[in-house]
Amino acid sequence: MHQEKPQTIANSKTLELAKSAIVAALYVALTVVLAPFSYGAIQVRIAEMFNFLPLYNKRYIWAVTVGVFISNLFSQVGPIDLVVGTLSTLFVLLINVKVTENMKSMKQKMAVSTIICAVSMFTIAAELTFVAGLPFFYSWLTIGVGEFIAMAIGSVIIYTIGKKIDLTK
């Protein structure tokens, strides 16, 4: 007689979903709590550090994307931010994973991802130019620098956490 092994939460989809939900919730909480720094033409959205998590496990692409979508519900920019900000995040995370997939060093992956994320802020600059009439290149510069700062700070935090906790699982 063959007995089936009971499924535990450790190997279930439920655990994966829970981990993703926690990341999305943390993204939203950090963004909203630090709202004065998280939105606008000059921003340092510290929650962007979660952009590194897909480098450890692709499941976090959706977690971070959902976190951005929910956070952008609180944006002053309006519904366009839900579309542009969210899709920009999704595409940048996919690009980061693809570009860094053959790199061995997490530090190298993070450095490359930081640059890609900072440069990608042209999408948000274009959005602010369209919606608020802000100057494109100035907005791209300020948002890009803010993104670079957030990612640089976040790289230290996520890398340190990744040394203590296996983020690949």
Side-chain angles (χ1 to χ4, degrees):
M1 177 181 226
H2 175 61
Q3 285 186 326
E4 284 190 40
K5 212 184 224 183
Q7 184 172 353
T8 64
I9 195 162
N11 63 7
S12 72
K13 294 287 184 187
T14 304
L15 183 59
E16 282 190 35
L17 183 60
K19 287 178 180 180
S20 294
I22 289 168
V23 168
L26 286 170
Y27 188 101
V28 173
L30 261 177
T31 301
V32 173
V33 166
L34 300 173
F37 306 104
S38 299
Y39 302 98
I42 299 176
Q43 62 177 267
V44 179
R45 190 180 278 198
I46 297 298
E48 288 289 283
M49 73 175 146
F50 294 115
N51 289 346
F52 293 122
L53 292 179
L55 302 178
Y56 290 93
N57 189 310
K58 292 177 187 175
R59 97 168 128 249
Y60 295 118
I61 291 171
W62 289 109
V64 175
T65 302
V66 168
V68 169
F69 179 82
I70 295 168
S71 295
N72 287 350
L73 288 169
F74 300 95
S75 169
Q76 301 290 327
V77 177
I80 193 169
D81 204 20
L82 295 173
V83 176
V84 174
T86 303
L87 288 177
S88 177
T89 296
L90 176 61
F91 290 132
V92 166
L93 296 178
L94 290 168
I95 289 167
N96 283 347
V97 168
K98 186 67 177 165
V99 167
T100 64
E101 70 185 348
N102 293 322
M103 295 178 186
K104 302 291 182 222
S105 164
M106 184 54 71
K107 287 181 181 179
Q108 184 181 20
K109 289 180 177 191
M110 288 180 160
V112 169
S113 294
T114 297
I115 293 166
I116 291 170
C117 287
V119 170
S120 78
M121 291 297 109
F122 73 88
T123 57
I124 308 309
E127 175 186 336
L128 292 174
T129 299
F130 177 76
V131 171
L134 296 177
F136 173 76
F137 288 105
Y138 178 74
S139 297
W140 188 13
L141 174 68
T142 59
I143 297 168
V145 167
E147 180 75 0
F148 186 87
I149 291 168
M151 296 292 289
I153 292 167
S155 69
V156 174
I157 294 168
I158 298 297
Y159 184 80
T160 302
I161 290 170
K163 287 293 189 187
K164 307 269 187 236
I165 300 169
D166 186 357
L167 297 172
T168 63
K169 294 185 178 178

